[in-house]
């Protein structure tokens, strides 16, 4: 193809792309060797003997597959982690994930009159102080403190 180096250079300038993206029809190499002016090359482009190839990009297929697997919880092991634990999940987010269910449990127990307002307030403060690891830990402490009452029975409505 070195015989058509000039035509390839002209075509690249006309097509506004690199020389590597210029495709020259192998069947028309003899005809093109006579094309020396820009207008000759323009004509060759018009009839489709010279064309601009599409840009080559990096395929995202493998990246999408990996992302899909990560959504399913794969590839998240110790060896794959790069950030500090608090960078991956900020300590405030961990705190919220722990405290919100505990507060919701207290609210639910108070609403169903299983927890006296005074005990509710006491345990609410303990939750705020980070005393309990989880919702179940809070519940076991409520039972140990003997502050839980039986849920009042509601009369079944017959309809």
């Amino acid at each position: 193809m070195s015989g058509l180096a000039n035509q390839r250079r002209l075509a690249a300038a006309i097509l506004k792309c690199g020389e590597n993206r210029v495709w020259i029809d192998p069947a028309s190499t003899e005809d093109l060797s006579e094309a020396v002016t820009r207008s000759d090359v323009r004509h060759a482009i018009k009839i489709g003997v010279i064309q601009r190839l599409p840009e080559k990009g990096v395929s995202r297929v493998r990246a999408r597959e990996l992302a899909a697997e990560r959504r399913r919880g794969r590839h998240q092991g110790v060896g794959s982690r790069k950030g500090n634990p608090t960078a991956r999940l900020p300590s405030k987010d961990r705190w919220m994930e722990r405290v919100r269910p505990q507060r919701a449990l207290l609210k639910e127990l108070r609403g169903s009159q299983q927890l006296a307002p005074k005990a509710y307030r006491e345990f609410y403060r303990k939750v705020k102080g980070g005393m309990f690891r989880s919702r179940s830990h809070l519940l076991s402490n409520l039972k140990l403190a003997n502050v839980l009452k039986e849920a009042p029975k509601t009369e079944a409505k017959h309809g």
Side-chain angles (χ1 to χ4, degrees):
M1 293 245 180
S2 61
L4 299 174
N6 192 44
Q7 288 82 343
R8 184 178 295 276
R9 184 183 55 77
L10 288 170
I14 293 164
L15 292 169
K16 293 183 175 65
C17 67
E19 288 180 32
N20 289 338
R21 277 182 61 205
V22 173
W23 176 83
I24 297 172
D25 186 7
S28 311
T29 48
E30 283 123 31
D31 301 340
L32 276 175
S33 60
E34 289 140 30
V36 286
T37 64
R38 285 175 93 90
S39 62
D40 293 340
V41 174
R42 261 192 222 101
H43 178 69
I45 291 167
K46 194 173 182 181
I47 60 173
V49 176
I50 297 175
Q51 293 174 11
R52 184 200 296 138
L53 292 172
E55 280 184 39
K56 286 178 187 162
V58 177
S59 172
R60 292 279 309 153
V61 171
R62 287 179 305 280
R64 277 194 287 270
E65 283 173 0
L66 182 62
E69 286 186 357
R70 283 206 171 125
R71 278 194 294 277
R72 290 183 61 203
R74 312 289 191 261
H75 307 281
Q76 300 287 330
V78 177
S80 301
R81 294 177 198 170
K82 283 201 164 181
N84 192 28
T86 54
R88 291 171 65 85
L89 185 69
S91 49
K92 183 170 184 175
D93 291 4
R94 269 186 50 232
W95 165 260
M96 290 189 304
E97 280 178 12
R98 208 170 66 236
V99 164
R100 284 176 180 176
Q102 291 177 24
R103 286 178 173 169
L105 174 67
L106 287 174
K107 197 173 180 181
E108 185 188 315
L109 292 171
R110 185 189 59 181
S112 63
Q113 273 119 35
Q114 286 181 271
L115 193 61
K118 212 163 194 175
Y120 166 84
R121 185 49 48 202
E122 178 194 338
F123 277 86
Y124 190 96
R125 287 201 190 104
K126 285 179 178 178
V127 165
K128 185 182 179 180
M131 190 170 168
F132 311 110
R133 292 185 300 273
S134 62
R135 198 174 177 273
S136 57
H137 189 216
L138 167 63
L139 199 55
S140 65
N141 272 270
L142 286 166
K143 285 174 184 167
L144 277 171
N146 214 14
V147 291
L148 282 180
K149 297 178 219 155
E150 281 296 313
K153 291 184 174 86
T154 53
E155 291 179 30
K157 292 179 185 173
H158 300 289

